[in-house]
Amino acid sequence: MQTWGMSPVSRGRKNGKKPSPKESAPARRTSRPALSSVPDIRDQSPRSHDDSETELRAFTADMLEMGGVLRENDDPLMAEVAGATLAVLDALTEGSVLTEGSVGTAFLQEIVPRLEAAATGDALAVLLAVGSVASGPVSAAADAAAGRLAAAGVSRPRWADELTAPLVAGDFQRRYDDEGVAVFLSCTVERAGRPHAFLVHVDPSACGEAADLLVLPAEDLPRVLEEITAAARKDKVRLRTETLDAEEFRWQVENALDARAVHDGELPFEDDEEAAPFLRFGEDDAIPFGEEDGEDGPPYEALAFVLRSRLATLPTPRKPPAPHADDDEDDGIEVFGGMAGLVRMLDERGMDPAAVAAGPLANLTGQPGLPAVGRPPTPPLPKKPKRAKEQQAPIYQVKIGLRGAKPPIWRRLDVPADTSLTRLHAILQAAFGWDDSHLHVFETPYGRFGTPDADLGQRAERPVSLEQVLPDVKAKIGYTYDFGDNWEHQIVLEKILDPDPSVRYPRCTGGRRAAPPDDCGGVWGYGALLEILDDPAHPEHHERLEWLGLDNPADLDPTRFDAQEVTAALSRLR
């Protein structure tokens, strides 16, 4: 059995267009051979009914050559993947094969008759492979043609009977970390005594999409999982293991595949030479599936197609699919049908729709009874710039100001552009003297990042770098610390500098005034605290001194600032 793993373009793929071979992301895989001997039929451009006879013959010849490889193999999984690869090619599709489940009429009307006319074992193998994954008229035509060839004495491939054997899935596991860096869903499937495994890498920072998908021999799964755990441990990420039941596993995997399908329909394919390997915790560490990068593996869509067929054998989830973040974030309510549904919902809950329309709805929209207007969709997160292994990231000069503080309180820092948001959070805590005892979030044009929390609409910050959310000079993002005191900061990219080998980063190069202490009640509470400390006769004066652990009010000097002290605090983060 082959091992097939795809490392698709996670941020630049999509828009329904399939990538050319040069655009396809290289795959990380084991040393076992993949479909290296199968002709790369993705090199063929789409062909319609008006294509010349020469082109149709050439395409049929390519498929027969692939059929020869399939006929010599004894693994039915290879035939399924090959058939799914055919099904998702532009040359054979009209519309979305993943949603409609059938290949186009060009294949039905032109290719199937030509394969049957060839009357060879190679043609029979291709027809069986397509029939195993297609549905509707194409499946019927491929199966019928295959049946006629078999009846005429054409030898069937060894795996033909195994395609109809029942599938038995098990060993459903979920591996995850507490910081929301990555999730891995795995299972094994056995058919006719042949066990294989699926491993899905879920990216929590991208709406929980299936970022990568690996199909491998079941006996190789423990080793691959050990490599994943070791790679995580190297980056100080602890993976936990959870056993799932079949229904929950199907629900989680289908949500990941569906989120990926939404993204694949939103963004155009791009030539992404920096496509991530199957897993990357740090900037340079990838799981060592093998020494060579395969460029001839099946596309992600084909593997997902086969995986969905396996999921269909599991119990149907009783809970509804998880809503996609892009589907339910500030979308508003449709004025006519939507408002009627809202009124029915309020009535069922014993609430007065008229009172709600005159109150909360009016407050939200400014117009009684009208729905809120949805905000523009969040743009996709920019990709991380690709650099040579020895090349250093540029230095970002950023100015961080505390909103609402009068006189202003701010810091100017030099930070490597590839600093993760997790580390940036630690840098900001040190620069302002916060004690990191509360929640925080980064507000960016590309979404909210912090500790992953679906209720708060926050995605994982750890995989995101500063340069992704501040791509240009004068770009701005927000940083809020302590949702009670609500310390809001504005971070502005002032300059992009070349790194200085004599300087240790991050460092502080400027600023003004001391930062408020934690838990003092926000900007307003800090002002009140300073007034109390300045008045020895105030009834709370001694209580506040004791709370701050101070003997003298002068020890809290709001005007004090020392860039070298801040830099020293930053150096202790290393």
Side-chain angles (χ1 to χ4, degrees), residues 318-441:
R318 286 165 289 183
K319 56 184 178 180
H324 189 272
D326 295 343
D327 295 336
D328 65 351
E329 183 178 63
D330 300 311
D331 283 341
I333 303 171
E334 189 178 1
V335 174
F336 297 104
M339 284 303 295
L342 175 62
V343 170
R344 286 194 300 272
M345 179 192 73
L346 295 175
D347 184 62
E348 291 171 357
R349 297 185 181 183
M351 302 172 66
D352 182 359
V356 173
L361 282 181
N363 293 335
L364 289 173
T365 66
Q367 302 182 54
L370 293 181
V373 178
R375 294 182 298 184
T378 301
L381 184 69
K383 295 174 289 185
K384 293 181 180 179
K386 183 180 181 181
R387 298 186 179 91
K389 190 172 183 179
E390 304 298 329
Q391 184 181 7
Q392 289 184 309
I395 301 301
Y396 271 15
Q397 177 182 301
V398 293
K399 181 177 180 180
I400 306 99
L402 187 60
R403 290 181 180 272
K406 296 180 180 180
I409 299 172
W410 56 273
R411 305 286 183 266
R412 178 172 286 118
L413 307 177
D414 286 348
V415 182
D418 58 359
T419 299
S420 71
L421 293 189
T422 297
R423 179 159 175 80
L424 180 62
H425 161 66
I427 290 171
L428 296 176
Q429 290 287 306
F432 283 85
W434 306 118
D435 60 20
D436 198 9
S437 58
H438 302 284
L439 296 175
H440 70 278
V441 67

Side-chain angles (χ1 to χ4, degrees), residues 561-574:
F561 170 77
D562 189 320
Q564 291 184 350
E565 287 185 2
V566 175
T567 297
L570 295 175
S571 69
R572 291 191 287 271
L573 296 175
R574 301 185 183 101

Side-chain angles (χ1 to χ4, degrees), residues 162-208:
E162 292 186 26
L163 277 176
T164 60
L167 294 161
V168 180
D171 196 18
F172 308 108
Q173 293 190 352
R174 175 178 181 263
R175 283 168 172 77
Y176 64 98
D177 68 286
D178 293 334
E179 297 183 8
V181 176
V183 174
F184 298 91
L185 299 167
S186 63
C187 75
T188 60
V189 182
E190 183 174 332
R191 176 177 56 192
R194 298 179 185 270
H196 56 277
F198 288 88
L199 180 59
V200 183
H201 169 207
V202 177
D203 185 358
S205 70
C207 310

Side-chain angles (χ1 to χ4, degrees), residues 114-128:
R114 291 171 183 271
L115 290 174
E116 183 176 359
T120 65
D122 298 347
L124 179 56
V126 173
L127 291 168
L128 288 172

